[in-house]
Amino acid sequence: MPNKVMIVDDALFMRVSIRKIITGAGYDVVAEAGDGNEAIRLYEASQPDAVLMDITMPGKDGLTAAKEILQHYPDAKIIMCTALGQQNMLAEAIKAGVRDYIVKPFQPERVIESLAKVLE
């Protein structure tokens, strides 16, 4: 059975792009969220094996959402998607328990490599 992945990004085109990359590699996208609050709700509902989450989003950002998910689900496998220049937030995310990160604009191979790494 393919691993279940949730995609969290406020930009629809990014979610579509990530969905194409990961479904093409055999992963199953079980949920998509456009902000941190939706991500927390959908994580509980869909119980994904891994989450690809953007750091910067309106409302509740990815860092806050990741921390909340990890508080309730310490084994959650979250990969942060970050733009260059967000190192401070990234360091905080890693401290909070985020498993890996990918930098935008990302290469499809890097996305798949990161998922494979956190799911092994």
Side-chain angles (χ1 to χ4, degrees), residues 3-83:
N3 282 303
K4 301 181 303 182
V5 181
M6 178 168 82
I7 302 168
V8 185
D9 198 302
D10 57 311
L12 177 61
F13 80 93
M14 284 305 295
R15 294 198 307 269
V16 169
S17 165
I18 294 168
R19 174 187 280 270
K20 278 188 188 138
I21 293 167
I22 65 179
T23 54
Y27 292 95
D28 187 12
V29 175
V30 292
E32 287 186 29
D35 65 52
N37 286 317
E38 195 181 4
I40 293 163
R41 251 193 345 271
L42 288 174
Y43 187 91
E44 291 172 0
S46 63
Q47 299 286 305
D49 299 312
V51 180
L52 286 161
M53 182 153 1
D54 188 21
I55 279 192
T56 315
M57 294 181 286
K60 186 170 285 186
D61 66 33
L63 179 59
T64 307
K67 284 179 175 175
E68 284 186 37
I69 290 170
L70 286 160
Q71 207 172 354
H72 298 287
Y73 303 93
D75 293 336
K77 294 173 172 73
I78 301 174
I79 300 166
M80 298 307 293
C81 302
T82 171

